[in-house]
Amino acid sequence: MKPVLVFDWNGTLLDDAHALLQTTNAILDRFGRAPIDMKTLQEHCDVPLARLYHSLGMSEDEIATIDRDGSAMFHDAYERLADKADLREGARRVLELARQEGALSIIVSNHIIEPLRFQLKRLGINDYIDDVLAFETRTSQYKSMSKGERLRLHMQKNNLRPASTFIIGDMPVETEIGRNLGLISISITGGFVSESRLRAADPDYTINNHHELLPILQRHGFFGMHKL
């Protein structure tokens, strides 16, 4: 039996929290609002991002303007910054080990498939990822199937066992998906959400980087011959 590793993308595999912060501040500046710091972002960040903007005190009209044209205001700024982002610490090593062990590595994301695939190729990890479950276009983002439902259907179609499936993410939503689908949930700090918010969601494990994922997998009987 091989494990299935289900990774969130933004903030989890991709180290793009600062890209999100810069993009958010660019949007706030456009509406004449003061910038925020990383601590504030991590205390308020939520998806869809309209929840973040609302939490930061933006009006419904301002949020509607941001969401116009498939949220072009956000994506046009964010993608330029994401092109400079690297992988989170230890992520490449874990993906390499998963490929060596014949484990499945899946990305389930609220991002858009095309730019996500571009980043996988840019970072040289496209061949390590077996499937990418994400939104098809900007205009369908957050308007079609949720990432939890997308993952549920994918697992059902491919007969993936929940008991040997790990979901790794930097937001409480991944813990909730894990709980709903009977998966082993692992929260990683240093992404879009504060550690206190992650722990309040009560994941099975909390890690600070992907190197700390290996001992958890070994505790469950996987990747036993490998060392950090």
Side-chain angles (χ1 to χ4, degrees):
M1 182 178 63
K2 301 293 185 181
V4 179
L5 306 182
V6 178
F7 295 96
D8 173 53
W9 175 243
N10 302 101
T12 298
L13 286 176
L14 186 67
D15 191 6
D16 61 341
H18 284 280
L20 177 62
L21 177 63
Q22 288 178 260
T23 302
T24 303
N25 279 333
I27 290 172
L28 289 170
D29 180 69
R30 180 161 176 172
F31 291 96
R33 295 178 177 271
I36 61 172
D37 58 16
M38 181 61 75
K39 181 179 179 181
T40 302
L41 176 70
Q42 291 176 328
E43 286 301 324
H44 291 271
C45 192
D46 202 351
V47 289
L49 286 174
R51 295 179 180 174
L52 166 63
Y53 306 139
H54 184 269
S55 181
L56 294 175
M58 301 191 78
S59 70
E60 295 299 329
D61 286 345
E62 289 172 330
I63 294 170
T65 300
I66 298 168
D67 284 343
R68 194 171 297 144
D69 300 323
S71 198
M73 188 185 300
F74 172 86
H75 286 288
D76 291 349
Y78 166 80
E79 296 299 345
R80 290 193 296 270
L81 296 166
D83 286 348
K84 301 178 179 66
D86 204 345
L87 294 172
R88 293 285 307 268
E89 182 183 350
R92 189 179 302 275
R93 174 62 172 158
V94 165
L95 293 171
E96 288 172 348
L97 290 180
R99 180 46 50 100
Q100 291 174 24
E101 290 285 319
L104 292 178
S105 294
I106 299 169
I107 290 174
V108 59
S109 175
N110 280 323
H111 202 45
I112 316 300
I113 287 179
E114 184 177 354
L116 203 164
R117 282 288 190 188
F118 172 83
Q119 296 298 342
L120 294 178
K121 292 175 183 176
R122 177 182 71 84
L123 292 161
I125 59 170
N126 191 57
D127 291 342
Y128 296 150
I129 304 300
D130 296 282
D131 289 288
V132 175
L133 311 179
F135 287 105
E136 295 80 7
T137 65
R138 290 184 181 186
T139 54
S140 69
Q141 191 176 27
Y142 300 115
K143 295 180 176 66
S144 59
M145 194 182 304
S146 71
K147 63 192 294 186
E149 180 65 7
R150 205 180 296 271
L151 178 59
R152 186 189 70 79
L153 292 175
H154 182 82
M155 293 184 66
Q156 185 180 66
K157 178 181 178 181
N158 293 279
N159 297 312
L160 303 181
R161 295 181 55 185
S164 56
T165 300
F166 300 76
I167 184 166
I168 305 100
D170 69 316
M171 298 186 76
V173 64
E174 284 85 39
T175 297
E176 181 181 352
I177 291 170
R179 189 174 294 116
N180 290 341
L181 299 182
L183 317 180
I184 301 160
S185 60
I186 302 171
S187 286
I188 184 167
T189 65
F192 291 179
V193 167
S194 66
E195 182 173 349
S196 61
R197 289 179 63 199
L198 291 177
R199 291 189 181 278
D202 197 26
D204 294 308
Y205 301 95
T206 301
I207 60 176
N208 300 302
N209 58 65
H210 288 279
H211 293 305
E212 297 176 10
L213 181 57
L214 183 57
I216 295 172
L217 295 170
Q218 291 173 332
R219 196 176 308 171
H220 287 265
F222 305 111
F223 295 13
M225 299 300 293
H226 297 283
K227 297 181 180 179
L228 293 174

